[in-house]
Amino acid sequence: MALLENMQVFVRVVDLGSLSAAGRNLRMSPALVSHRIQQLEAHLGARLLNRTTRQLQATETGLVFYQHCLEVLEAVERAHSSIAAEGGAPSGSVRVTAPLGFGRRVLGPLVPEFRAANPMVDVRLRLSDHLLDLLRESVDMAIRMATLKDSSFVVRKIADLRRVLVAAPRYLEARGRPKAPSDLLEHDCLLLRFPGTQQYRWTLTSPRKGDGDKDESKSTKLSIAGPMDADDGDVLTRWAVDGHGIALKPLWEVADEVKSGALEIVMPEHPPEPVQLAIVYPHRALLPAKVQSLSDFLVPRVRSLLAASHPEALL
């Protein structure tokens, strides 16, 4: 078991690129992480890492051993999952991250229901509109609302979501209603901003006639600026309702405000590109039973909740 644990430590060090980062991730001191690596190197009789004051890199032998470690750890996961599949109840902790608004309104209320059906699985929920690094933060699954690009991660789609531009009627009466995407450059736009975000780049779609009068669409990409930004989407909604500017939001998040008249959809003929609501996992050939069970529980329920409450928000 000690050898397996040391292999897990080694994989985390290589993934994160430093002893201290691996220690924070594994809740170990850097000294203990270093000791585990030394034990592993002594057991193998080979140097796995080259260390300097500024860099840590796997040796050629270390890179080969790293790949074998991944295979071994995956096999252990497969063995645990096979036991669960044959009647053993899923168990352990699942670390989940999700956007703040989604977590508060949708995910949070579902967690107790999942726990009632799976009492041996603990759910560690971390809500943030920041896109957390799944490997660095040791996250088992992330729920994302984004335009997801190809990556080494595994994606399980839940739904495609409409997005809209919204503003308070009093703001639009005072500043004028935009008619074309370029008009947004003259308005106060409310931005979701944090390190690494692309939310200041808005992509709007516009109808046009193609060959043979067939309806097509074109995209307009704008780099948006504004006097106020925040890293919490609910704050942007509040600012928009209070008349401080135009916000880009998933329709399901602001459907009630639009229905009540507190917010008005801006340029409905030029909607923002939709986003995908999905579960994202770190790249693994086989999911642990505890993660699979939570995923299987959430996907149909989230779809049903959104379809029942705001069907117009789904594509």
Side-chain angles (χ1 to χ4, degrees):
M1 185 60 71
L3 177 59
L4 184 63
E5 291 174 352
N6 289 346
M7 291 168 68
Q8 291 173 322
V9 171
F10 172 67
V11 165
R12 189 57 62 188
V13 169
V14 175
D15 284 342
L16 301 182
S18 79
L19 299 176
S20 57
R24 288 191 298 271
N25 184 267
L26 297 169
R27 298 182 181 179
M28 295 180 178
S29 68
L32 180 55
V33 172
S34 179
H35 177 66
R36 290 294 190 92
I37 298 299
Q38 290 171 8
Q39 282 186 326
L40 195 55
E41 289 178 328
H43 176 80
L44 297 171
R47 178 174 288 277
L48 300 175
L49 300 171
N50 286 325
R51 309 170 185 82
T52 68
T53 56
R54 294 187 177 182
Q55 289 186 326
L56 183 149
Q57 291 183 326
T59 63
E60 184 175 348
T61 300
L63 288 174
V64 173
F65 184 65
Y66 170 80
Q67 294 300 324
H68 288 303
C69 285
L70 292 179
E71 293 173 4
V72 169
L73 296 174
E74 183 180 300
V76 172
E77 277 191 2
R78 187 180 298 112
H80 287 166
S81 295
S82 66
I83 293 172
E86 292 189 10
S91 63
S93 294
V94 181
R95 294 171 292 278
V96 185
T97 181
L100 283 163
F102 180 86
R104 291 166 179 157
R105 297 174 181 83
V106 180
L107 184 59
L110 288 175
V111 169
E113 183 183 345
F114 171 77
R115 280 275 302 134
N118 298 271
M120 296 178 65
V121 179
D122 297 335
V123 179
R124 309 300 182 194
L125 186 58
R126 185 171 177 185
L127 301 181
S128 174
D129 283 334
H130 294 231
L131 298 181
L132 301 183
D133 186 314
L134 304 193
L135 293 175
R136 186 172 294 275
E137 300 294 335
S138 195
V139 172
D140 294 303
M141 55 188 287
I143 296 178
R144 297 267 170 90
M145 281 188 287
T147 303
L148 298 170
K149 298 180 173 62
D150 291 337
S151 73
S152 60
F153 295 146
V154 177
V155 176
R156 182 175 182 180
K157 178 179 171 180
I158 299 175
D160 289 318
L161 303 178
R162 297 182 187 277
R163 293 195 296 176
V164 291
L165 298 175
V166 290
R170 67 170 179 262
Y171 170 86
L172 297 171
E173 290 164 5
R175 296 290 300 274
R177 287 171 171 79
K179 304 297 184 184
S182 58
D183 293 346
L184 293 171
L185 301 177
E186 305 300 322
H187 279 266
D188 293 340
C189 295
L190 307 172
L191 304 178
L192 184 67
R193 189 183 291 274
F194 49 82
T197 183
Q198 297 292 313
Q199 296 291 337
Y200 61 90
R201 292 193 178 100
W202 290 1
T203 301
L204 307 184
T205 58
S206 304
R208 67 179 179 185
K209 292 293 184 180
D211 295 338
D213 291 333
K214 181 180 179 181
D215 289 339
E216 297 179 351
S217 63
K218 64 178 181 178
S219 296
T220 301
K221 295 184 178 182
L222 300 169
S223 292
I224 296 298
M228 299 163 65
D229 60 62
D231 63 356
D232 183 333
D234 284 349
V235 171
L236 300 188
T237 301
R238 184 73 261 163
W239 285 344
V241 168
D242 290 343
H244 297 299
I246 299 173
L248 188 159
K249 301 290 296 183
L251 177 55
W252 75 269
E253 286 192 14
V254 293
D256 291 340
E257 288 82 358
V258 171
K259 184 176 181 180
S260 70
L263 290 174
E264 179 180 321
I265 295 179
V266 177
M267 293 192 300
E269 68 278 12
H270 300 284
E273 64 178 355
V275 290
Q276 188 176 108
L277 177 65
I279 297 177
V280 180
Y281 320 99
H283 179 59
R284 290 176 182 172
L286 184 69
L287 287 176
K290 58 185 180 180
V291 178
Q292 187 70 59
S293 63
L294 180 57
S295 177
D296 291 344
F297 175 89
L298 289 176
V299 169
R301 285 167 176 80
V302 171
R303 284 176 181 159
S304 296
L305 284 172
L306 292 178
S309 60
H310 303 298
E312 73 281 7
L314 303 182
L315 289 175

